[in-house]
Amino acid sequence: MIADRAHTRFRGQTGLAARLAPRLAPRLVAALAALWIALAVPVAALAQDEPDYASWEQAASRGEDVVESGTASTPTLDALRADIVAWRDRFVAAQSINAPRIAALKDQIAALGPAPAEGDSEAADIAARRKDLNDQLAQLQAPGLRAVEAYSRADSLIKAVDDQIRVRQADRILRQSPSPMLPSSWMAAASEGLKVVTGIIGDVRDRTYGAAGQALIGRLPLIALYLAAALGLLIFGRRWIDSLPLRLGSRASEYARDAVAFAVSLGQIVIPTAGAYLLTRALDTTGLAGAWARPILMVLPVAALILFGGRWLSRRFFPLTGDPPICYPELQRQRGQFYGTALTAAYAVHHIAAQALLPLSGFRREGPAGSRIPLDVSEAAAGVWHLPIIVVGALLLFRLALVLRHRPELSGSDMPGYPGKVMAGLGAVARIIAIAAPLLALAGFVTLANATLWSTVLTIGLAMLVIVLQEFATDLWAVVKRDRSMSRNALAPVLIGFALVIGALPVLALIWGASPADLREGWTQLRQGVSLGGVRLSPGAVLTFLVVFTLGYMVTRVVQATVRTSILPRTRLDAGAKNAAVSGLGYVGIFLAALLAITSAGIDLSSLAIVAGALSVGIGFGLQNIVSNFVSGIILLVERPVAVGDWIQVGTAQGYVKRISVRSTQIQTFDRTDVIVPNSDLISKEVTNWTRGNQQGRIIVKVGVAYGSDTRKVTEILRRIAEDQPTVLINPPPTILFMGFGADSLDFEIRAILSDINQGVTVQSEIRHEIIEQFAAEGIEIPFAHREVRIVNAGDLSAPVPGRPKAPPAASAPAAAKPGQGQPAPVQPTGDEAQDPRISMATSSGLEGASGGSDGDGGGER
């Protein structure tokens, strides 16, 4: 009953979501429109006040002096960069000052007509008016031009600061410290490690007997509350949440089971991480952690988040039950789950050491004051303490890479999908880095070893997360559509997955050393656009193109539907002409929508005129076939008369469509050879598509029986054989036809419709086997032809053949065959006898037991 109630409640929630979807659609459209406006309209287009150029001059001169000196610290450069970026944003806004008035003046000047050429003149009043308008235009354009010049200076200064920061980061990463294998490094590590332990113990001891210890008694109830909650979440809560996804998923409907299990499984990160945070709060509330212990204590919650998040990701990517994102064998999934969790634990230890204790930690920058222990650990000691963490991490990464490089199990496809290929590529790279990182650390490049090793680990984790989220998007779409099978082939999950990949790129850049300032700078440059062949593309222009083209495409489809249902039925056009009119209208609408979208996006088509002219010349000389195939490919992709997986026949080529490109179509024949067919042949020639729309198809099996057989009985036997085949449809039922009186047999045909024509050859073969068995059991004979050899002019055979020795006389002549003992085996002439003109072959139609014959053709073999 509880399960039924939970199932009913979940169905009610999904039904509510389905009812709310139409209400949320307008809000979603409004949000997209706001995003479009935010990207398409220049950033501070409303600002009309000029910047304070005097203050800017001072700031720019000071920044150039700092950059040229090269002695400023990295925090100083960061602050300088932030100040220059703010100035640059003001200059971007100032470039649009007086924009409406400038546009109006340009229109007025254009209305006067083109300016006279050199040496020509125009009317005095028009010339005076043109001069007045040009003077006004120059005056209005002056603030914008000044802002453009200041913007260029600010942008150059920002690039100089970024270059200096990158050089410093590269020097820090490639810096060589003392090797961890040196005895002096081990001595430094032991000495400074003892200082850290002594500092922590002394800090706790001093606070225990100091004011913090005296106040500890008053904090005991709060500490006990924190500890109880923390232990409850870490012990009982974690066990409960680990089993909850399976229990709730089993109660949900089939199409929502995976989505519910995924959503609930996120508690495997939240609950234990919350327990670790409460445990840290309990220890911090005691007040016993001072300058030595507290930096380590404060970084524990983040380390717990890394540990439990990595454990969750490993279990989702390598599940032991259910459908995995990539179909690795079960043993490989067990190993992947273990090595992934262990590698996450090693990275959590590295995070604690990097944040609170040790330098040389890779791309990480040192935190603010108070976030590290009060001891500057030497590079020699840091290399020694980093080495075991690097070795353990490299070993676990190498083992995980072996799992990722394992070939996934194939399930219904000829080759693994792109997730398997991506993870296999990452596994191949990870193996190399896992070997190189310890060697780099031993050589003294500890920072480089940490940077490459742990960045690779995070990259693999990010790829796993993206693949898992793509699977979750597919599961959510199955909940929306209430159909799990259709969600795998839907477009929406694919687009969501593509968006996840795009969103993961900035995170990947941060993993490999990029700063947030670098990402903001990249976004700024991207918003300004990228120039490609004289055409500047920006996110606003691309989004404008997509929105306008989508609207135009929708309008085209509406017009097509209106013409098809309301206008064309009232005309006298035939069905073919109607379809051609609707298709042509669609092509024209799509062309106009694309043209309108290009112009709305601000893309100048004049820059493409030279390229179009060159293409027209090339087409005129020798590219007719290529262009024909290209246009035919576009028609195939739009009209889709042939799709990948269809069984088609084009001319003599017959097989399954494997790939359709814009130039040709690849057909895989039944003997596993690939035939490349130009797309123009698929448009201009006759094409037979056996499986388009449905998999049903007809087979014909021919059979002949001996004269004298009971034709009604033969018909019933053949009908029973056909109906017993599992793929033969009952509606329409199979038909048994008595086709006629052959020269040697009574000819019958079995005509049956199969639910899957791809099994036609197999069904025909099975029917023929059944015919042999049933006819033999019922005593019905299948006639066949035989040959007899007759010797013409047998008396002349005694004469010797010229050039051949005389054959010795035969001992005796063979006895004549008695009736009932069968016929003698036919005599086949061999050697020179075959060339003897006195011997000839005569064939007579005879039957074994009855006259008649049949070729036994079953028909329809592909």
Side-chain angles (χ1 to χ4, degrees):
M1 181 181 296
I2 297 175
D4 294 338
R5 291 178 180 176
H7 179 68
T8 304
R9 187 181 302 111
F10 180 81
R11 290 179 62 89
Q13 293 174 355
T14 54
L16 179 61
R19 291 193 298 271
L20 289 178
R23 302 179 184 179
L24 295 178
R27 300 180 182 179
L28 181 59
V29 172
L32 291 176
L35 177 61
W36 174 32
I37 293 173
L39 291 175
V41 178
V43 179
L46 300 177
Q48 296 293 328
D49 296 334
E50 284 195 69
D52 186 357
Y53 288 102
S55 300
W56 157 245
E57 187 66 30
Q58 296 177 1
S61 300
R62 183 173 61 255
E64 291 169 351
D65 293 340
V66 170
V67 172
E68 290 177 359
S69 64
T71 58
S73 61
T74 301
T76 302
L77 291 177
D78 290 337
L80 174 63
R81 188 186 186 284
D83 184 43
I84 302 301
V85 167
W87 278 106
R88 187 179 63 178
D89 293 340
R90 298 174 197 169
F91 299 143
V92 171
Q95 292 177 13
S96 61
I97 292 178
N98 301 325
R101 297 179 61 188
I102 291 174
L105 283 175
K106 288 183 177 179
D107 292 339
Q108 289 179 279
I109 295 174
L112 296 177
E118 186 177 357
D120 296 339
S121 61
E122 60 181 348
D125 54 344
I126 297 179
R129 182 57 178 168
R130 187 187 303 277
K131 181 179 182 303
D132 183 46
L133 292 177
N134 285 327
D135 293 341
Q136 295 181 35
L137 180 62
Q139 185 177 1
L140 292 175
Q141 288 178 336
L145 296 176
R146 190 181 301 113
V148 170
E149 185 272 333
Y151 172 88
S152 300
R153 185 178 182 185
D155 191 62
S156 301
L157 187 55
I158 291 173
K159 291 179 180 178
V161 173
D162 289 340
D163 291 341
Q164 195 168 116
I165 292 176
R166 291 192 190 97
V167 169
R168 291 187 179 184
Q169 185 181 23
D171 293 340
R172 182 172 60 86
I173 295 297
L174 299 176
R175 182 177 178 181
Q176 185 177 15
S177 59
S179 173
M181 300 302 295
L182 297 176
S184 58
S185 299
W186 284 94
M187 293 178 61
S191 174
E192 296 182 11
L194 183 61
K195 290 181 181 179
V196 173
V197 174
T198 304
I200 295 175
I201 295 176
D203 198 3
V204 173
R205 183 182 63 248
D206 294 341
R207 287 179 168 266
T208 302
Y209 295 103
Q214 297 176 1
L216 179 60
I217 298 177
R219 302 193 189 103
L220 286 179
L222 182 59
I223 296 173
L225 181 62
Y226 280 144
L227 285 176
L231 295 178
L233 292 176
L234 289 174
I235 298 176
F236 302 104
R238 188 168 63 86
R239 294 178 182 176
W240 174 76
I241 196 63
D242 285 348
S243 61
L244 185 61
L246 182 60
R247 290 188 281 112
L248 288 183
S250 61
R251 298 178 183 179
S253 58
E254 181 180 359
Y255 57 82
R257 183 178 299 117
D258 292 338
V260 172
F262 180 91
V264 176
S265 69
L266 294 176
Q268 298 173 358
I269 304 175
V270 177
I271 289 181
T273 303
Y277 173 75
L278 292 176
L279 180 60
T280 303
R281 289 288 299 170
L283 297 176
D284 188 45
T285 305
T286 61
L288 302 181
W292 288 89
R294 199 166 189 276
I296 301 175
L297 189 63
M298 291 295 101
V299 81
L300 289 180
V302 179
L305 177 62
I306 294 172
L307 176 61
F308 294 117
R311 174 176 172 268
W312 170 85
L313 182 59
S314 299
R315 296 177 67 175
R316 297 300 304 181
F317 193 81
F318 299 107
L320 301 182
T321 58
D323 297 330
I326 301 178
C327 297
Y328 293 109
E330 183 177 359
L331 178 60
Q332 300 300 324
R333 278 183 271 167
Q334 294 176 354
R335 293 176 178 176
Q337 192 174 116
F338 172 77
Y339 292 130
T341 305
L343 185 58
T344 303
Y347 180 69
V349 174
H350 166 76
H351 176 78
I352 295 173
Q355 289 296 108
L357 297 172
L358 304 177
L360 309 181
S361 299
F363 290 116
R364 297 176 179 271
R365 294 183 180 180
E366 295 184 2
S371 63
R372 303 179 67 86
I373 61 174
L375 174 66
D376 292 333
V377 180
S378 63
E379 294 183 354
V384 173
W385 290 112
H386 274 301
L387 182 61
I389 304 176
I390 292 175
V391 171
V392 172
L395 178 60
L396 294 173
L397 178 62
F398 187 84
R399 300 298 299 177
L400 180 62
L402 292 180
V403 175
L404 297 178
R405 288 203 63 194
H406 194 279
R407 181 179 179 86
E409 294 179 341
L410 303 182
S411 56
S413 59
D414 293 335
M415 58 183 61
Y418 85 92
K421 296 179 180 179
V422 171
M423 298 311 299
L426 289 177
V429 176
R431 291 180 64 187
I432 300 174
I433 293 179
I435 296 174
L439 298 178
L440 290 173
L442 292 175
F445 296 98
V446 180
T447 305
L448 180 59
N450 277 315
T452 55
L453 176 64
W454 302 115
S455 296
T456 303
V457 171
L458 292 176
T459 301
I460 293 177
L462 179 62
M464 290 182 177
L465 180 62
V466 169
I467 294 174
V468 169
L469 291 179
Q470 288 176 342
E471 290 292 316
F472 178 57
T474 303
D475 296 334
L476 283 181
W477 191 252
V479 174
V480 174
K481 291 297 184 180
R482 295 177 177 268
D483 190 342
R484 180 173 176 81
S485 60
M486 292 181 58
S487 63
R488 293 290 172 182
N489 300 322
L491 178 61
V494 175
L495 296 179
I496 295 174
F498 181 73
L500 288 173
V501 173
I502 298 299
L505 294 180
V507 182
L508 183 65
L510 292 175
I511 289 174
W512 287 95
S515 63
D518 295 331
L519 296 183
R520 289 192 295 268
E521 183 67 19
W523 174 246
T524 300
Q525 299 296 330
L526 185 62
R527 289 192 61 183
Q528 294 175 0
V530 179
S531 181
L532 298 175
V535 177
R536 180 166 292 276
L537 298 178
S538 64
V542 173
L543 189 57
T544 301
F545 175 85
L546 294 178
V547 170
V548 175
F549 181 78
T550 302
L551 293 177
Y553 181 81
M554 295 172 61
V555 171
T556 300
R557 292 308 182 195
V558 171
V559 172
Q560 278 186 294
T562 303
V563 171
R564 182 187 296 110
T565 58
S566 301
I567 299 177
L568 292 179
R570 294 176 172 82
T571 63
R572 297 181 179 180
L573 298 177
D574 56 9
K578 293 178 181 179
N579 292 332
V582 173
S583 300
L585 184 62
Y587 294 140
V588 172
I590 292 175
F591 174 77
L592 294 178
L595 186 62
L596 181 61
I598 291 174
T599 55
S600 300
I603 300 175
D604 187 10
L605 296 179
S606 61
S607 58
L608 303 178
I610 300 177
V611 178
L615 287 177
S616 62
V617 174
I619 293 172
F621 276 100
L623 299 180
Q624 298 96 332
N625 293 333
I626 296 177
V627 174
S628 175
N629 291 327
F630 179 79
V631 175
S632 301
I634 294 177
I635 295 175
L636 289 176
L637 295 175
V638 173
E639 292 188 349
R640 299 180 62 83
V642 174
V644 175
D646 287 352
W647 170 17
I648 69 171
Q649 180 176 356
V650 185
T652 59
Q654 183 176 182
Y656 292 102
V657 178
K658 190 174 182 181
R659 185 176 64 89
I660 299 177
S661 63
V662 295
R663 191 195 66 84
S664 62
T665 297
Q666 183 177 354
I667 300 176
Q668 187 179 68
T669 63
F670 301 116
D671 55 1
R672 295 298 176 182
T673 59
D674 291 338
V675 178
I676 307 300
V677 179
N679 288 332
S680 58
D681 291 351
L682 296 176
I683 299 298
S684 60
K685 293 184 178 180
E686 180 180 353
V687 179
T688 302
N689 195 328
W690 300 94
T691 58
R692 186 60 175 171
N694 59 71
Q695 302 292 324
Q696 297 180 3
R698 189 182 73 170
I699 60 170
I700 299 177
V701 180
K702 299 179 181 180
V703 63
V705 298
Y707 276 89
S709 301
D710 188 349
T711 57
R712 300 294 182 183
K713 185 176 182 181
V714 171
T715 301
E716 292 301 323
I717 293 174
L718 295 180
R719 178 177 288 106
R720 184 170 62 250
I721 292 174
E723 291 177 348
D724 287 343
Q725 299 302 315
T727 58
V728 173
L729 296 180
I730 303 302
N731 186 19
T735 303
I736 311 301
L737 300 176
F738 183 15
M739 300 302 296
F741 303 93
D744 303 316
S745 64
L746 303 175
D747 298 332
F748 288 82
E749 281 188 4
I750 300 176
R751 298 186 179 185
I753 304 297
L754 302 184
S755 59
D756 186 1
I757 192 60
N758 294 299
Q759 305 298 324
V761 175
T762 304
V763 175
Q764 288 175 330
S765 176
E766 183 61 28
I767 288 177
R768 294 187 181 108
H769 283 297
E770 292 290 335
I771 289 174
I772 295 291
E773 296 174 1
Q774 295 289 338
F775 280 11
E778 298 292 339
I780 298 175
E781 298 181 0
I782 300 177
F784 60 92
H786 67 275
R787 291 188 176 91
E788 294 179 355
V789 178
R790 297 179 182 179
I791 302 176
V792 182
N793 299 328
D796 296 339
L797 294 178
S798 58
V801 178
R804 190 199 319 173
K806 185 178 181 180
S812 61
K818 296 179 180 181
Q821 294 182 353
Q823 297 178 352
V827 179
Q828 300 292 338
T830 59
D832 295 334
E833 295 175 358
Q835 302 176 0
D836 195 332
R838 294 169 298 177
I839 301 176
S840 64
M841 296 290 295
T843 302
S844 65
S845 296
L847 292 177
E848 189 71 23
S851 67
S854 173
D855 57 0
D857 184 13
E861 184 174 353
R862 50 186 174 86

